[in-house]
Amino acid sequence: MKSPINVDFLRTPLTLKIIAFFFLSITLFYFGYHWSNNYHQLIFFSTSQNPNPVVSISPNFNKSFNINTVVDHNQPPPIDSAGKFGILNENGTMSDEFEVGDFSVDDWVNETHKVEDSSVKFVIQKFGLCSRNMSEYIPCLDNEDAIRKLNSTEKGERFERHCPEQGRGLNCLVPTPLGYRNPIPWPRSRDEVWYSNVPHTRLVEDKGGQNWISRDKDKFKFPGGGTQFIHGADEYLDHISRMIPEITFGQHIRVVLDIGCGVASFGAYLLSRNVLTMSVAPKDVHENQIQFALERGVPAMAAAFATRRLLYPSQAFDLMHCSRCRINWTRDDGILLLEVNRMLRAGGYFVWAAQPVYKHEEILEEQWEEMLNLTTRLCWKFLKRDGYIAIWQKPFDNSCYLNREAGTKPPLCDSSDDPDNVWYVDLKACISQLSKNRKGGNVARWPARLQTPPNRLQNIKMDALLSRNELFKAESKYWDDIIDGYVRFLRWKEMRLRNVMDMRAGFGGFAAALINQNLSSWVMNIVPVSGPNTLPVIYDRGLIGVMHDWCEAFDTYPRTYDLLHAANLLSVERKRCNVSSIMLEMDRILRPGGRAYIQDSLEIMDELQEIAKAIGWQVTLRETAEGPHARYRVLVCDKHLLRP
């Protein structure tokens, strides 16, 4: 009887080729799957510069997981549960209806973990304290060696960034001043701070008669006044509203820049009107004004109108204010006012309170005429002058610019100029044109604008080609869920969280989540230069932030933030610079008693823990709600008060 299998057929060349191809395919699939960087998490942004971007489907799509093998059944179940994790529907396309999965600290591990299979051992020597005279050290603003080598300082170059050379940056812990105390909590801090925390009386001596600041025993007091608003900031703000009723604080006007802010009383009192103000001033002879502002709990940073663009995007601010800010706006063909024009939103307002507005002296009247001439050529509409104050409005579109007489100066900027390119970019004596479709000008009223995907979202240079509105919503929902867990289980509302920094802000979802939770905090949103420039979206949402390179120091005083939040940042930046330098900078700007939350890949956590311990932080490595098999962790770092 013949065998049912034809052995000769199996030995044919064609059959052998088919069998070999089958086994080769299985082998390649196996190795490709297991060698891939298969992270079980949403990644919103990529820094790759692929000229043909595509939308990838999550490796977790359409999978089911048996969580019974990883859940501790002795623990109580989560309060809620979610059906899906991600933003893809069953067809693999982007969906408006998605859930992000509940966060629960029941799934967290409370002790520090080590990676058992790691072959890399980190031994980092403990960092010592810097000298006492560095207690207010700002590396990129206090680099005297670089400042002495400047060719000129006549335009304010000394107040700009001059960072230490690579390898010569901060390598020690900045000490606190003698007698440092836990800051007075908000809202009391708006009106008083401890003298020992900012022990400088120069402003009291120079401005004591102008209702700025006074000293009362062991405290500084802030009456809420200023050089041009001696009757108080509230009366001054009411005056502006009476002059121009269309200036509705907390509705059309949400984001403001206060130039030459003093101790930031203008911005401090706008907070009660739902207005977020970026208060800026140079570190000049009154060098501690920004330090006072941040100690009070008011958004502020050191910045100067000099030779470079400020680190804010175009069309960022609904209103810009200058009260005796000591800036010559008409110098060099109005180049400084052109920088104001770049940052001012279409239809936004410029408020100027200075001697040329109200004094009738010959030289001051000449300055007033020069200002009127310049603003007319900028197509600003002069609205009103009343008392100390004059107000202009920027146009809503380009029609006036395009209808000016030929040869009118300043000219329009070249079409190749990117008005959102700000990192070490020189000022330009030209007018930045507005978008033809009015992107950036037509934002919703506050508070609706916080959750509304803005038009400029489509202009962000990033890999995602389509469905950006869904990415925007996904990021917001993700952080809403995480912050809700922090509030419910880690009692964030009981912590002193006033000055907060998000070190890699994306679209600002973390800051928006804090607002949704009604936390009494404000957030400085940082957009790293190593990723896509999402800063215009952050401002369109009614939030504030700045462009920054974390390989360099940030322009703020030591001990100015209560919470630092760094999500998926350090594993990216360590390809460009030393992680120890970034964490030392974090320690410099973090207040004693403050906390850092570092969410990053498991592969980097050993190194981060050792650096944190060398700095002197108390660290706890926690799992997220995705459990022990997730490829990332959250490192919680507590900074304690160190004394020499």
Side-chain angles (χ1 to χ4, degrees), residues 80-319:
D80 302 304
S81 60
K84 292 179 282 185
F85 186 90
I87 54 176
L88 296 175
N89 63 19
E90 61 273 9
N91 298 318
T93 58
M94 305 298 284
S95 170
D96 284 330
E97 300 297 327
F98 55 85
E99 300 179 19
V100 178
D102 267 3
F103 165 91
S104 171
V105 294
D106 289 336
D107 296 326
W108 282 21
V109 177
N110 290 324
E111 68 272 7
T112 299
H113 281 259
K114 292 289 185 181
V115 183
E116 295 180 357
D117 60 349
S118 175
S119 60
V120 181
K121 302 297 181 184
F122 298 97
V123 179
I124 300 174
Q125 188 174 0
K126 194 166 186 175
F127 294 100
L129 282 176
C130 308
S131 61
R132 173 64 64 185
N133 62 4
M134 293 179 65
S135 66
E136 291 164 359
Y137 178 60
I138 305 178
C140 294
L141 300 184
D142 291 333
N143 188 356
E144 294 296 333
D145 289 340
I147 292 172
R148 279 194 293 268
K149 296 176 183 178
L150 292 174
N151 295 327
S152 172
T153 59
E154 65 179 13
K155 295 181 179 179
E157 292 90 342
R158 66 169 287 107
F159 303 125
E160 296 181 310
R161 294 173 59 82
H162 305 285
C163 297
E165 297 176 3
Q166 187 174 4
R168 301 186 64 182
L170 190 68
N171 62 356
C172 54
L173 307 177
V174 173
T176 58
L178 291 172
Y180 182 86
R181 306 172 65 172
N182 286 332
I184 295 173
W186 182 267
R188 280 176 50 213
S189 62
R190 188 195 73 170
D191 302 324
E192 59 182 25
V193 302
W194 297 118
Y195 166 79
S196 57
N197 289 10
V198 192
H200 300 281
T201 58
R202 174 71 182 265
L203 279 175
V204 175
E205 295 163 1
D206 290 357
K207 304 294 183 180
Q210 298 179 15
N211 213 26
W212 279 30
I213 182 174
S214 63
R215 183 180 176 184
D216 182 7
K217 298 179 181 177
D218 60 350
K219 294 178 181 177
F220 286 112
K221 299 291 184 71
F222 304 94
T227 305
Q228 296 297 153
F229 38 105
I230 57 177
H231 300 297
D234 267 332
E235 192 281 333
Y236 182 78
L237 294 170
D238 289 340
H239 185 185
I240 293 173
S241 297
R242 288 192 299 269
M243 287 178 64
I244 310 296
E246 290 77 16
I247 296 180
T248 52
F249 291 119
Q251 296 179 38
H252 288 108
I253 306 301
R254 163 62 185 176
V255 187
V256 169
L257 182 70
D258 187 19
I259 304 163
C261 63
V263 293
S265 289
F266 181 80
Y269 280 79
L270 274 173
L271 285 168
S272 63
R273 305 183 186 216
N274 281 326
V275 175
L276 200 55
T277 303
M278 180 76 81
S279 297
V280 299
K283 189 179 181 184
D284 57 11
V285 292
H286 301 306
E287 62 178 37
N288 300 100
Q289 49 195 332
I290 294 300
Q291 190 177 18
F292 275 118
L294 289 161
E295 186 70 17
R296 296 175 72 183
V298 178
M301 67 179 295
F305 280 79
T307 67
R308 301 192 197 115
R309 284 178 172 174
L310 274 68
L311 303 177
Y312 316 115
S314 67
Q315 298 203 68
F317 300 102
D318 308 316
L319 182 147

Side-chain angles (χ1 to χ4, degrees), residues 44-45 449-451 454 457 471-484 486 492 500 502 504-517 519 523-527 534 537-539 541-544 565 567:
F44 296 108
F45 306 112
R449 68 190 278 187
L450 181 66
Q451 306 299 344
L457 181 63
L471 290 175
F472 177 94
K473 295 173 185 176
E475 190 207 65
S476 295
K477 195 160 188 177
Y478 176 79
W479 286 118
D480 275 339
D481 186 73
I482 296 296
I483 300 304
D484 179 66
Y486 289 161
W492 268 27
V500 177
D502 189 0
R504 186 172 185 251
F507 294 140
F510 177 84
L514 294 186
I515 293 175
N516 293 339
Q517 288 288 340
L519 293 173
V523 179
M524 181 71 79
N525 293 282
I526 307 300
V527 173
T534 56
V537 173
I538 288 170
Y539 276 89
R541 296 187 75 171
L543 305 170
I544 59 171
H565 177 254

Side-chain angles (χ1 to χ4, degrees), residues 584-602:
L584 279 171
E585 175 65 3
M586 293 170 68
D587 181 78
R588 185 186 72 86
I589 66 179
L590 190 63
R591 284 173 169 170
R595 179 171 287 187
Y597 278 64
I598 304 174
Q599 177 180 311
D600 223 310
S601 63
L602 188 59

